[in-house]
Amino acid sequence: MSDVFERLTAADPYAGQTFELPDVVSFIARITATPRRTSAWRRFQLGVSGAVAATTLIMVGAIAALQGAAPSLPVLNFAAANTVQYNVYSSVKTSTSPLPTMNARGTAATVTRTNARYHFTASKTLSDAATVAPAYSLRAPNDPKAETTRLASAFGLSGSLQQLASATAWRVRSAGASLTLASRGLWAWSYVNPSARATGSARTTVPVRDLTRRATRLVHALGYDFQLATPTVTTGSATVSSPANSQQGYLSISLSFPVVVNGSSTRLTSDFTFSTSGALISAHGPAFYVASSYLYPLRTPVAGVAALNTERATLAHGPSSGGSFTANAPRAATIRLSTTSLALGAYQMSNGTLWLVPVYLFSVDAKGPRETWPLLAIDPRFTKNAASATPVGTPTPKH
Amino acid sequence: MAPSRDDRFGRLVRELSPPVGSYLARRLYPLARVDLDDLVEETFTIIWRRIDDVPSDAELPWTLGVARNVLRNAKRSHARRLNYEGKVRPRGAHASAEESVLADESVRDALNKLSDDDREILLLHAWDGLNANELARTLLISPNAAAVRLSRAQTKFKEYINEAPIQ
């Protein structure tokens, strides 16, 4: 070999060194503990093509085969209503204004959302066909400390790791920005950089598609088992708490991405806020891996409407943060549900495990703001305590 | 009997983590050293997910190809973050990872004059020990193209280093 190339070889900065994994066994176990996506997807498919929607018709043979295998499906025992206060992120905007509907006499009336009892009926447009849909058991990050460091690195932060007072939250701070990983049932990450603010321009200088691409790639780099769907974009002002706890308003662009798992919509979102010059002000999203998936038979949408009356008739349908039933509530109002969609909701089971399970989102084909009524879609033969189950949201860890 | 996926993956980790880690370590700049373990894990996570696709006759070059993409994506994320903060490096001031740690200034200067593609194939051969066929599998080009590119890169490197003033 010529002297030139000997010099090149000798210039190897890693010459004489060998990279070694400190613990090969743990390394392998950590990786292989995450099921390969292809196997989960194959189990889900079971000969059914594409993502499953509420109106998808499944061949009788497939359902029969599934029902024959039903005893092997785990029964989902939902945990009691969660008393922890958190923000529930929904992929469907719910109305906050009174909803025009029909009262018991069939007369159009506006019913105040709180302090009212509802009776639901099914429009002929709702399907009574049997369907199946996947549910996923989730796995939290194995090592939250290492996970926080990893996430911080993805955001370019390399400060020291600190455990927060809640004991299930970790944070990395660097140059005024911070990345927090915390759990309130569902683990969630949150990034904030108060110094990343618009320079005062009221005009957006970065195309929204570029911001969308950045956010999508960042989430992909985080490596969790979900993808992002087309975001809802809003512009306005964002308030960010500075370290001194004062709040300032900035011009901003917010992107709210619905979270998707294996092609199925969920009721979770991942949200990004950028300055008008494209600097990332804040972002947050869920942090989970799919442990396993099961294909469950669903009750039909028509049966679901009937279940709304028995499972929810005694509950006043008010804002998610309140609304209580009172004994002297006005007469019942009848709501005719005409459409439904299927989305995955996050729920905690009595044994502490987290699952994404299919949820019907019923709505009224009415003028004005549309409201949705959610109902767990899985055949009740495979659930316990589903009527009192409440979903786990994607809480935003506080900075 | 063919080994199970778990067994094969375990063998790949034991045999290939040293060259994969070394490949990444040489090229980490401007990422931090603490990223090395994450990049190695990310690489083998992809290997595990695509274990059925790993060719039995080219396990190392295929795996290095994955590591190459992992590193490229990580550097892109890092560059985007720098852009967010307005820390865009001046045009022409880019220093490659290898150059930043080379003590031999003539070698460093000669490498700096090469194109990114020429530098990459030259160092995959000189530092990571890949032959032309392995280069082809890593870079997803034909063996003939790999041989031609390597030869061209070596010729240019030799010209540049011979141009350096005698110190």
Side-chain angles (χ1 to χ4, degrees), chain A residues 154-212:
Chain A
F155 281 88
L157 304 183
S158 56
S160 58
L161 182 70
Q162 58 177 144
Q163 184 175 14
L164 304 184
S166 66
T168 53
W170 297 85
R171 174 175 297 157
V172 171
R173 279 195 194 275
S174 178
S178 62
L179 186 288
T180 303
L181 182 66
S183 172
R184 282 190 182 178
L186 187 66
W187 282 88
W189 57 267
S190 175
Y191 168 90
V192 66
N193 185 5
S195 64
R197 57 180 183 267
T199 55
S201 168
R203 186 174 61 88
T204 302
T205 58
V206 181
V208 170
R209 64 173 181 276
D210 286 355
L211 301 179
T212 301

Side-chain angles (χ1 to χ4, degrees), chain A residues 52-58 63 66 127 129-133 296-301 342 360:
Chain A
V52 178
T55 55
T56 300
L57 295 179
I58 309 298
I63 296 177
L66 181 64
S127 168
T131 58
V132 295
Y296 280 92
L298 306 182
R299 46 185 161 190
T300 69
L342 201 61
Y360 282 133

Side-chain angles (χ1 to χ4, degrees), chain A residues 8 12 30 153 155 214, chain B residues 26 35 41 81 84 102 127:
Chain A
L8 177 60
D12 178 2
R30 197 160 56 240
S153 176
F155 281 88
R214 283 187 202 169
Chain B
R26 294 184 180 101
D35 298 305
E41 183 161 339
R81 184 185 71 79
Y84 296 161
L102 297 186
W127 290 352

Side-chain angles (χ1 to χ4, degrees), chain B residues 62-83:
Chain B
W62 199 90
T63 302
L64 285 181
V66 172
R68 178 172 171 258
N69 288 331
V70 166
L71 182 63
R72 189 187 304 171
N73 290 337
K75 287 186 175 180
R76 275 204 206 112
S77 297
H78 181 82
R80 277 197 297 275
R81 184 185 71 79
L82 292 180
N83 286 338

Side-chain angles (χ1 to χ4, degrees), chain A residues 112-123:
Chain A
T112 304
R113 295 179 65 231
T114 56
N115 296 330
R117 296 180 61 212
Y118 296 98
H119 177 73
F120 299 96
T121 61
S123 162

Side-chain angles (χ1 to χ4, degrees), chain A residues 2 4-5 7-15 17-22 24-25 27-28 30-38 42 146 149-150 153-158 191 193 214-215 217-218 220-221 223-225 274 278-280 289, chain B residues 5-6 9-11 13-14 17-22 25-26 32-38 40-42 44-45 48-52 73 76-78 80-81 84-85 98 101-102 104 106-107 111 122-123 126-127 154-155 157-158 161-162:
Chain A
S2 73
V4 168
F5 295 109
R7 287 173 61 189
L8 177 60
T9 302
D12 178 2
Y14 213 66
Q17 304 177 68
T18 304
F19 176 85
E20 280 188 25
L21 289 171
V24 174
V25 174
F27 180 86
I28 293 172
R30 197 160 56 240
I31 291 175
T32 56
T34 305
R36 293 164 56 239
R37 284 179 182 149
T38 51
R42 285 185 192 132
T149 301
R150 184 180 73 80
S153 176
F155 281 88
L157 304 183
S158 56
Y191 168 90
N193 185 5
R214 283 187 202 169
R217 287 179 178 173
L218 186 56
H220 179 74
Y224 294 117
D225 286 342
F274 295 90
L280 184 60
Y289 302 95
Chain B
R5 287 196 183 97
D6 284 14
F9 181 69
R11 178 182 62 77
V13 169
R14 290 181 171 85
S17 59
V20 167
S22 301
R26 294 184 180 101
R33 196 78 187 187
V34 70
D35 298 305
L36 177 59
D37 291 341
D38 290 341
V40 172
E41 183 161 339
E42 187 174 341
F44 281 96
T45 299
W48 169 240
R49 288 176 179 166
R50 298 186 59 190
I51 191 77
D52 294 335
N73 290 337
R76 275 204 206 112
S77 297
H78 181 82
R80 277 197 297 275
R81 184 185 71 79
Y84 296 161
E85 298 173 356
E98 304 83 3
V101 295
L102 297 186
D104 188 328
S106 299
V107 170
L111 287 174
L122 181 71
L123 296 180
W127 290 352
Q154 288 174 323
T155 300
F157 176 75
K158 197 172 180 179
I161 206 166
N162 286 335

